[in-house]
Amino acid sequence: GAVVSQHPSRVICKSGTSVKIECRSLDFQATTMFWYRQFPKQSLMLMATSNEGSKATYEQGVEKDKFLINHASLTLSTLTVTSAHPEDSSFYICSAKGGRRGYTFGSGTRLTVV
Amino acid sequence: GENVEQHPSTLSVQEGDSAVIKCTYSDSASNYFPWYKQELGKGPQLIIDIRSNVGEKKDQRIAVTLNKTAKHFSLHITETQPEDSAVYFCAASPDYQGAQKLVFGQGTRLTINP
């Protein structure tokens, strides 16, 4: 079945630094990847949609300069949280979609900004 | 845009009993309705999905029903077991094979009491 690998699973960083999260589709080509953010006891909120080789489309209210998304290949997308602050602490989840495959989710990244 | 409402937010049932979670959606263009199970600290896992050309789908103890006229769909879990305890999310999308985003419901925390 479709597998999406997301790394790291947990990261702690200091306020003001940047953090990069990777999302890889291991056994299929992901033409579209989605990045979600989930606060405790809440639903998944879509941050942005990225298609391979083109700029990401951000949802309303999501700062594109703060959350940099790169979808450079059909198997890799990265989310970089720049100048992280404590309020950016959250659970970030990627999802990949390709061909006839449905939406496959990564295992998530718990970001803690101290 | 699409709006998905999910009820109840919490559900507690005795082991062996059935659990039902309901969702409604607003966009009549939606034609793909997946259900996800999310365990603590992990990404969502697809447990069953249904497309608009069928009204019901079953996979062992799990079934999903869809009423396109009323714009609602439900998840049914029979013979519940302690390992069914998790948060369940419904979602809707207008295009299973395209790049359309999933819109999630608010989630249901299901607890199975031994």
Side-chain angles (χ1 to χ4, degrees):
Chain A
V3 178
V4 172
S5 175
Q6 185 174 341
H7 292 281
S9 58
R10 293 175 178 268
V11 58
I12 300 173
C13 71
K14 292 183 177 180
S15 187
T17 62
S18 296
V19 173
K20 180 183 284 188
I21 302 169
E22 290 190 350
C23 181
R24 294 179 183 272
S25 56
L26 299 185
D27 53 357
F28 68 101
Q29 293 185 327
T31 51
T32 305
M33 286 193 176
F34 305 88
W35 286 94
Y36 294 85
R37 184 173 181 176
Q38 186 178 34
F39 289 109
K41 297 186 179 181
Q42 293 190 22
S43 187
L44 285 77
M45 297 303 296
L46 182 66
M47 299 174 66
T49 301
S50 72
N51 294 298
E52 185 263 340
S54 60
K55 290 184 178 180
T57 302
Y58 290 81
E59 295 297 300
Q60 191 173 7
V62 178
E63 300 175 56
K64 63 180 181 180
D65 294 331
K66 181 169 185 62
F67 299 100
L68 302 179
I69 292 171
N70 186 292
H71 192 166
S73 76
L74 285 171
T75 60
L76 174 65
S77 177
T78 61
L79 167 67
T80 302
V81 183
T82 64
S83 187
H85 291 284
E87 56 264 32
D88 297 325
S89 299
S90 189
F91 193 54
Y92 292 87
I93 309 169
C94 69
S95 173
K97 197 169 185 300
R100 293 187 174 185
R101 296 180 183 273
Y103 305 82
T104 304
F105 285 83
S107 53
T109 297
R110 172 74 58 194
L111 171 62
T112 303
V113 184
V114 297
Chain B
E2 176 65 277
N3 182 50
V4 178
E5 296 287 333
Q6 182 173 346
H7 299 281
S9 57
T10 60
L11 179 60
S12 183
V13 300
Q14 286 298 120
E15 182 178 354
D17 288 351
S18 295
V20 180
I21 303 171
K22 299 182 179 181
C23 288
T24 60
Y25 62 99
S26 61
D27 190 349
S28 57
S30 289
N31 60 16
Y32 176 62
F33 309 93
W35 285 89
Y36 292 89
K37 176 182 181 182
Q38 187 179 29
E39 297 178 331
L40 189 63
K42 297 183 180 180
Q45 283 192 308
L46 179 69
I47 55 172
I48 195 167
D49 57 10
I50 191 168
R51 301 185 204 182
S52 59
N53 57 343
V54 297
E56 184 174 356
K57 183 177 178 181
K58 188 174 182 180
D59 183 4
Q60 298 183 336
R61 299 187 295 110
I62 296 173
V64 57
T65 58
L66 171 65
N67 184 325
K68 283 218 75 176
T69 303
K71 296 198 189 74
H72 66 70
F73 55 113
S74 300
L75 176 71
H76 303 254
I77 305 175
T78 59
E79 300 173 23
T80 53
Q81 301 168 2
E83 53 264 38
D84 293 330
S85 295
V87 179
Y88 291 81
F89 291 97
C90 63
S93 171
D95 187 1
Y96 171 75
Q97 290 191 349
Q100 296 294 321
K101 62 184 181 184
L102 280 174
V103 177
F104 283 85
Q106 295 85 352
T108 297
R109 182 171 299 277
L110 175 63
T111 302
I112 307 301
N113 302 307

